[in-house]
Structure formats: structure tokens, C-alpha cells
Amino acid sequence: MKLPAQRVRSGAPWEAQVGYCRAIRVGNQIYLSGTAPVDAQGQVVSTDGYAQAKRCLEIIQTALQELKTDTHAIVRTRMFVTDISQWEAFAQAHQEFFGAHPPATTMVQVSALIDPAMLIEIEADAIFPEDRSASMVTAQACQNMADIRAAIDQLDAQVIKLLGQRFEYVKAATQFKSNAQSVRAPERLQAMMQQRRQWAEAVGLDPDVIEKLYRDLVQYFIELELADWHSSQ
């Protein structure tokens, strides 16, 4: 039986020209194409090796998040570099990004990449976790900021998933109700998020930090509600 493939495209100009996608998931296997250090317009982001490696990994992370997982699922990376003497800068970005969840990796020097300004290109393989809860990082297991960021990213993904499921339940319930206003829950959530971001900016706080804190609070109450629902069954 042929397994269905799920593809992610980043919009890079070479994808259409060469005929490839940023990432593809088949079963629980995820393969990520060689990823270049470019911005949304396809321009190389920096002349610095560390910054370029970090940008490659950020693009990889975005593709994984579109596939409903994150960098903790990566089991192997391959770094193709044009100047091996800068290996420490590339390695620093790689180490910071993966923290306590290092994959197997290879770094090799190549003669050139598609753009002479590129110092590095990274490709990766990942395995989609069968049990998402088993891959969650506990607070006690976090050893550095990379671990904390990964844990928060996973929490955010679960919040989005749970809110989406809840919205589907609400839509199903409205089939038996005359009041359809209850299906506007995601709109109200987005409005509340925007209000909190505006408040943060007004008082000089980082709106991204405030939004993450609010999402964590939403996660907390959702877990309480789910626990109460399970106990009533």
C-alpha cells in the first residue's frame, strides 16, 4: 500500500525551479531538504557563519512545526560548509539549537553552494513521535535556554492542537443548538491575544513574551478542564 506523503514548501525560489519541497513526511519519517541561510526574499541573511547556521536551523524548525512536531524529533543532520575553518561557529549554532536532544550529525566541506555568499547548508532527517506526550521535556530536565525554548514550543503546539480540537467539538455541538455564536471562540481568543500584545507594548514589555505566558495559562486551564472531564467519565 502506498503511504500518503505530506509536503511542506517554504517558498524559496529554487523549490519551483529545481522541483523539490522543503520537507516531506511519509509515515513517521520526515526528510528535510538541504536548507540555505536565506530570508523570506531569498537573500543570504549574513556573512557570519554562526548566523547562517542558526538561520538554516530556524527554517528547518518552521517546516517541522508545520508537520506538527519540532526539532526534538530530528535524529540526524548533515552540514555542508564551504569553509571548514569556521567549524566552531557552525557547531555553536547547532549545539545551542538542539541542547539536550543532540542528533547524529556530519559536517563536510564542499567546494561551493548555489550562492557564493552561502557558507553552510543543512539537511535533516526526523522521526515523528508516535506518542507526543512521551517526547515532552519536563521543567526539571531543562539545562539551558535551548531546552526551555524547545519545551515552550512543544507546549504552544499542544495548546494550538487542543484549541483546534475544542473548536471542532463546539462546531459539532452547534448542530443541536440554535445559537451559532458559540463557534466564534477562536476569533475571541485572537482578539484577546491582540489586546494583551497592545497592553504589553504600552507598558514597555515584550509582547512575544506576554503572548507566550498567556498561551501557557490557556494550556494550564485546558489541562484542568480535560482532567475534570476525564474524571467525570
Side-chain angles (χ1 to χ4, degrees), residues 38-209:
V38 296
D39 58 22
Q41 288 71 47
Q43 302 300 310
V44 177
V45 295
S46 173
T47 59
D48 176 68
Y50 170 85
Q52 287 200 16
K54 182 179 179 182
R55 177 57 182 161
C56 293
L57 293 166
E58 288 172 346
I59 296 172
I60 287 171
Q61 182 179 41
T62 298
L64 286 170
Q65 289 173 343
E66 287 193 43
L67 292 169
K68 310 303 182 186
T69 186
D70 214 310
T71 51
H72 61 273
I74 292 178
V75 295
R76 183 174 183 85
T77 59
R78 300 173 187 84
M79 293 180 275
F80 304 97
V81 305
T82 59
D83 182 4
I84 200 70
S85 69
Q86 297 194 49
W87 74 267
E88 289 179 306
F90 304 136
Q92 181 184 352
H94 192 275
Q95 189 280 327
E96 290 177 356
F97 212 81
F98 290 103
H101 307 279
T105 192
T106 301
M107 184 188 298
V108 295
Q109 179 168 306
V110 296
S111 60
L113 294 170
I114 197 167
D115 186 324
M118 295 175 183
L119 302 174
I120 185 170
E121 182 174 304
I122 302 177
E123 69 176 27
D125 301 329
I127 297 178
F128 194 89
E130 297 297 335
D131 182 2
R132 291 177 59 84
S133 61
S135 64
M136 287 296 296
V137 179
T138 64
Q140 291 77 14
C142 292
Q143 300 179 9
N144 52 42
M145 285 305 298
D147 290 343
I148 294 171
R149 179 179 62 184
I152 291 174
D153 286 342
Q154 291 177 53
L155 279 172
D156 285 349
Q158 285 202 344
V159 169
I160 293 169
K161 179 181 179 181
L162 286 169
L163 288 174
Q165 290 175 342
R166 186 166 178 175
F167 184 40
E168 292 302 318
Y169 298 152
V170 172
K171 287 196 297 184
T174 58
Q175 296 178 10
F176 307 99
K177 297 180 180 179
S178 58
N179 180 14
Q181 291 300 312
S182 58
V183 300
R184 296 181 57 205
E187 297 175 18
R188 292 198 299 273
L189 176 64
Q190 185 60 37
M192 286 189 288
M193 286 288 192
Q194 187 59 35
Q195 289 173 359
R196 280 153 179 77
R197 292 185 67 88
Q198 291 172 354
W199 170 80
E201 291 174 347
V203 298
L205 297 175
D206 187 334
D208 291 335
V209 171

